[in-house]
Amino acid sequence: MPHFTKPDEGSWTEHYPELGTAPVSYADSISPEYYELERDAIFGRTWLNVGRVEQLAKKGSFFTKELDAARTSVIVVRGMDDEVRAFHNICRHRGNKLVWSDFPREETSGVCRNFTCKYHGWRYGLEGELTFVQQEEEFFNLDKADYSLASVQCEVWEGFIFVNLDPSNTTSAREHLGELGKGLEGYPFHEMTQVHKYRAEVGSNWKLFIDAFAEFYHAPVLHAKQAVADESTKLQSYGYEALAYGLDGPHGMVSSWGGMAPPKDPSMVKPIERVVRSGLFGPWDQPDIAGLDELPPGVNPARHKAWGVDSFVFFPNFMMLIWKPGWVLTYHYWPTSYNTHIFEGTCYFVPPKNARERLAQELAVVTFKEYALQDGNTLEATQMMLESRTPVDRFPLNDQEILIRHLHASVRRSVHEFQQQSAKTPARDRHEEMRR
Amino acid sequence: MSDTPVIPAAFADLVPFAGWALPTERERYNKRIASTMDQLQSFYDTLFPRLDDAIAHIDQFPLDDLPDDAKHLLWICCALVTVSFPVEVWRQARVPDSGASSFDAVLEPAV
Ligand code: FES
Ligand SMILES: [Fe+2]
């Protein structure tokens, strides 16, 4: 007996008939060839979230972002006109990486008035214009106006900065995020400026980690020991059911119950949680800011009393969790090969007013880390066996795993569409098109 | 840190654990996994009953302008959060089933 109502079709999955209910293959997660296709079909032409506007606090603030999957590195910078722009991080003289410090593969950030190449000292302004050429008179008819930094499409949505590496792209970031994105507009993201950010190198295909965070079916089992014993037995016997799922285009969301912040019965939670008043679902005391009582329609879409957290999977690699007590967690998955990726988990809180609030946030952050360490290790084990290509190559997915079915279907569709388009347009024309 | 960090006089019983006054989560976690369960347990047993008092002490001052001793006490309280997992849940310093995976703080608040 389901505890929460499912759609009339009898299941969430069948509510979206194009998904089917058949067992699925993870062939999209175990080969270098498929990953090469994803780089061009997905990462090279989809809006990617690379940060938040708060990272660019002042005019001249910049950061770099390594986008290995899209075969580039970008500079994101706030200009003197306050506009946020992005450029390929490559010097127009002889191709040196323009902005980096100490280690060319590491990301960096800072504040500056211009970017100076370490190699021969060419300088670029914040709008990408070439302003200085060392020994300019030695060049042949060099017009500096022809050598601005190569710009990258860049848009800000609700304070989140997105880039798109496809110069022929005509869709805005907001359109790309679709109905699920629109439903979040107005949420007080800008108040949540207290940031804790984690990074991990994970030995699995990027999609497998999204899979792990896009279902809570595993939670009562894999994370059993994280709850007090009685509670854990109870959670396992209930299993997991979401309040609601929603799909729109390649994006998906799951709305989940909470009830743990604060818990109905304090003995359900660990001693530290009782004293610090915080835990996995976040600090129990909601911060005192506007915008948390009247939530935008996309948050807790079922308007359920038991609501605790919504998880959004924005295609391709950006997840956002909005927690009832008023904080936000984002996940990013940056592929570095078919079986490795860099995972970033970032917690956003309203700045604490005192030590009590600071510790409540610390406990939420550390709890997230303890869970993620368990999640991350399981993935290597999964990747290893999927890659072994044992005779087992079709795997069932239940109704609570609908977002996984949908993610892999969305990836396959993007790759397929790209292949069809490439077949129609010979490679040479495509390059010409890129240049225009 | 070669000198023992100063902590507020009212918390003299925490002096043996002053080494936990570490400013970052990464350092606190590293100290946790380098400790024995006995060490973690005695730190927890000493501070946990006084946690509310410690918070009340720190909250006499504005969070963005803490005197050094109160700041150290706050870091020690953060360390208690880190140590609560092995003591209350895992019964071992590392997260079970976490193998070689690592998860590093790359950005966190100054205090
Ligand atoms: S490569 Fe940048 S100045 Fe020569
Ligand atoms: Fe998990």
Side-chain angles (χ1 to χ4, degrees), chain A residues 26-56:
Chain A
Y26 299 107
D28 60 10
S29 302
I30 56 175
S31 83
E33 296 75 25
Y34 200 86
Y35 173 57
E36 289 307 313
L37 287 169
E38 288 179 335
R39 294 176 85 174
D40 293 322
I42 298 172
F43 291 91
R45 46 191 235 146
T46 311
W47 284 104
L48 304 172
N49 172 241
V50 292
R52 289 266 325 155
V53 286
E54 291 82 9
Q55 290 168 259
L56 302 175

Side-chain angles (χ1 to χ4, degrees), chain A residues 308-365:
Chain A
V309 57
D310 284 346
S311 310
F312 293 83
V313 184
F314 288 115
F315 190 78
N317 67 335
F318 174 35
M319 281 187 69
M320 191 190 307
L321 281 74
I322 299 187
W323 302 81
K324 174 157 184 288
W327 65 290
V328 169
L329 176 57
T330 61
Y331 303 146
H332 294 85
Y333 311 80
W334 300 108
T336 46
S337 77
Y338 77 99
N339 63 2
T340 53
H341 70 275
I342 289 166
F343 169 78
E344 293 170 336
T346 314
C347 307
Y348 296 90
F349 300 99
V350 174
K353 289 196 297 291
N354 50 43
R356 187 167 290 283
E357 292 183 2
R358 172 68 182 80
L359 278 174
Q361 295 178 357
E362 184 76 12
L363 181 55
V365 170

Side-chain angles (χ1 to χ4, degrees), chain A residues 185-246:
Chain A
E185 289 174 1
Y187 187 82
F189 295 110
H190 62 283
E191 301 268 15
M192 299 178 184
T193 54
Q194 176 91 344
V195 179
H196 296 246
K197 180 170 178 177
Y198 283 82
R199 185 180 189 274
E201 291 178 18
V202 182
S204 85
N205 185 271
W206 60 282
K207 298 185 291 299
L208 298 183
F209 207 177
I210 301 186
D211 292 349
F213 277 131
E215 54 89 356
F216 294 109
Y217 170 58
H218 76 275
V221 181
L222 178 65
H223 306 306
K225 293 194 197 119
Q226 300 245 14
V228 296
D230 287 359
E231 187 56 19
S232 164
T233 315
K234 201 168 78 192
L235 287 173
Q236 266 195 51
S237 74
Y238 284 173
Y240 174 79
E241 274 176 51
L243 300 177
Y245 290 93

Side-chain angles (χ1 to χ4, degrees), chain B residues 23-36:
Chain B
T24 65
E25 190 276 332
R26 193 193 284 224
E27 291 166 279
R28 297 188 285 266
Y29 188 79
N30 287 341
K31 186 168 169 71
R32 158 178 148 185
I33 59 178
S35 301
T36 64

Side-chain angles (χ1 to χ4, degrees), chain A residues 197 199 225 355 358 370, chain B residues 32 59 89-90 106-107 111:
Chain A
K197 180 170 178 177
R199 185 180 189 274
K225 293 194 197 119
R358 172 68 182 80
E370 305 273 320
Chain B
R32 158 178 148 185
D59 278 340
V89 196
W90 307 133
V106 290
L107 184 69
V111 179

Side-chain angles (χ1 to χ4, degrees), chain A residues 91 93-96 117 119-122:
Chain A
C91 177
H93 174 224
R94 267 166 52 205
N96 188 26
C117 182
Y119 206 168
H120 314 94
W122 283 29

